[in-house]
Amino acid sequence: MLKISIPPIYTFLLIIFPLINSYDLIGVSPVLLFSVLEMILVMLWIQNRTIIRLDRRIVIYLAYMLLSATIGILHSEQNSLYTLGIKIFLYVITFFVFYVFSWQIIDFEYAIKLYVRISVILSVLVIIQFVFSLLGRGFSLVPPGLPLAGENVVSSDTIRSAQMTNNRYSTFFLEPAHQCEYILPCLAVLLFRDSYKKKGKNLLRAMLITIGLFCTTSSIGIFASIILWIYFSVVLIRRRDASWMIYLLIIVPLFLLIFSFFMRFEYIRTNIVARLAVLDIRNTTRTEGFRRIRYGWLCFGELGVMQKIFGAGYKNFGYYLAESGIGYKMMGTNDLQLISYTNGLAGMFIGLGLIGTFLNLRLFLGDCLKSKNTLVYGLLLTWGLIMATSNSFDDIVGVMPLILAMNIVFHHRKIKDRINLAV
């Protein structure tokens, strides 16, 4: 009888999914399809386990999240029992796939190898796209003629046209920020993983990925990568590791030389100034920076006392912002999709409230912060940067750094009595 190894298949789907998440390939929600497939693998993985014990923290957080989701759905116009049941079912599946089992099932070595290879390839492709755009021959790699998933009503052709018009490219992702959010945890892995045999190779890969992040012209990618490199330099200085410092002293000037060469082009300088302009977070401008960084926190400040404590509803707090008038007050519109967009941290506070946020951070960060592992800290920093600037509270891109960090804690620190599944 053919024996199938579950961890590599599960890991492959986990790493590949963000690349195809935006496309409605077979008329089924990619998130639903992915969650069901991964849940089947989870069930196959645990079928030979004789003891399954859920940690109390998991049970409490799951119960709170489902209650919050129910409240949020009832705020919406689509509050039929059928819709409620389907959404709750999907939330439960997603919760168990991403949060409960993922860091225990994934094959870490295989995940890192596949993740690094994909990130390097994506970086090389976006660099090529960027160079060709400078030559006036820009091209898009977004597949033509595909419908987009979710609430989008446009096809991929619209995205292709917008990329070539704006000269901002992101390989197979719909937006440059999406590609950066996917690749940033890989940059953290290359910088902070203790692999002395490959330190030079990893730093060269990290530099290549950083150049690729800059070529997307995404504010998130540029500034987050700079912060990660600064933190990496601080770690090296504290370690006083001469061999690492030598590599750093060679690679950083080389990177600065390449950056200086690109800055000679007026188009690049103009683009950077334009990207800095959209980071304006003043309330009167409603720029990208305001929407990504400040808007959500202003909304949280406008919530009533009970909503601040218990939340306005997981996943559906946008309806509360619309009905209460908070969204219109802050954005000047009742467009549900627009007023529902906050960065992940603010969205967590608005949706789950102070209690839910505490339960979330206690569950998923508690053991990681105690690990004293540099790579774990680097991944947590990456998670914080993504959460602070994009709407990635509970999607796979936002969860990826946590999955990798918690896998390290689970396997390398061996604290099996404090995790949520005991075998």
Side-chain angles (χ1 to χ4, degrees), residues 342-409:
T342 69
N343 67 64
L345 286 175
M348 179 165 58
F349 273 87
I350 297 172
L352 297 178
L354 294 174
I355 293 178
T357 299
F358 169 76
L359 293 174
N360 179 285
L361 298 180
R362 175 174 174 265
L363 176 62
F364 301 117
L365 300 188
D367 291 330
C368 290
L369 291 174
K370 297 176 183 178
S371 68
K372 297 181 180 180
N373 184 298
T374 304
L375 175 54
V376 171
Y377 290 166
L379 288 168
L380 293 184
L381 174 60
T382 306
W383 174 80
L385 291 170
I386 294 174
M387 287 280 286
T389 55
S390 64
N391 188 16
S392 302
F393 161 45
D394 59 355
D395 64 16
I396 183 60
V397 173
V399 174
M400 181 73 76
L402 286 183
I403 292 176
L404 296 176
M406 294 172 76
N407 179 269
I408 296 170
V409 171

Side-chain angles (χ1 to χ4, degrees), residues 232-276:
F232 175 65
S233 301
V234 171
V235 169
L236 291 187
I237 293 172
R238 294 182 63 180
R239 283 182 176 177
R240 299 180 180 179
D241 189 323
S243 59
W244 275 102
M245 291 299 295
I246 291 174
Y247 278 107
L248 190 64
L249 290 175
I250 294 174
I251 289 178
V252 170
L254 180 60
F255 172 77
L256 293 176
L257 181 64
I258 296 173
F259 181 73
S260 299
F261 170 76
F262 278 109
M263 287 299 293
R264 294 172 58 188
F265 295 93
E266 182 179 356
Y267 161 74
I268 298 178
R269 295 196 301 270
T270 303
N271 198 290
I272 290 178
V273 171
R275 297 308 300 164
L276 290 174

Side-chain angles (χ1 to χ4, degrees), residues 110-166:
Y110 174 63
I112 295 303
K113 183 182 297 185
L114 179 63
Y115 190 24
V116 169
R117 287 179 179 176
I118 291 176
S119 297
V120 168
I121 291 173
L122 291 174
S123 299
V124 170
L125 289 176
V126 81
I127 291 172
I128 293 174
Q129 285 184 296
F130 182 77
V131 172
F132 270 77
S133 71
L134 294 179
L135 300 175
R137 298 179 177 273
F139 62 93
S140 175
L141 291 174
V142 173
L146 291 180
L148 302 182
E151 298 179 358
N152 297 289
V153 295
V154 299
S155 73
S156 59
D157 294 326
T158 304
I159 303 298
R160 288 171 57 86
S161 176
Q163 286 187 349
M164 288 185 281
T165 299
N166 299 324

Side-chain angles (χ1 to χ4, degrees), residues 153-185:
V153 295
V154 299
S155 73
S156 59
D157 294 326
T158 304
I159 303 298
R160 288 171 57 86
S161 176
Q163 286 187 349
M164 288 185 281
T165 299
N166 299 324
N167 275 325
R168 299 188 67 216
Y169 298 96
S170 49
T171 62
F172 310 107
F173 293 87
L174 303 186
E175 295 182 20
H178 294 173
Q179 173 155 329
C180 293
E181 291 158 11
Y182 177 77
I183 290 179
L184 278 170

Side-chain angles (χ1 to χ4, degrees), residues 3-24:
K3 186 177 181 180
I4 300 176
S5 179
I6 300 300
I9 301 175
Y10 183 97
T11 303
F12 177 81
L13 290 176
L14 195 70
I15 300 297
I16 291 295
F17 174 70
L19 294 173
I20 61 175
N21 181 34
S22 300
Y23 304 102
D24 189 357

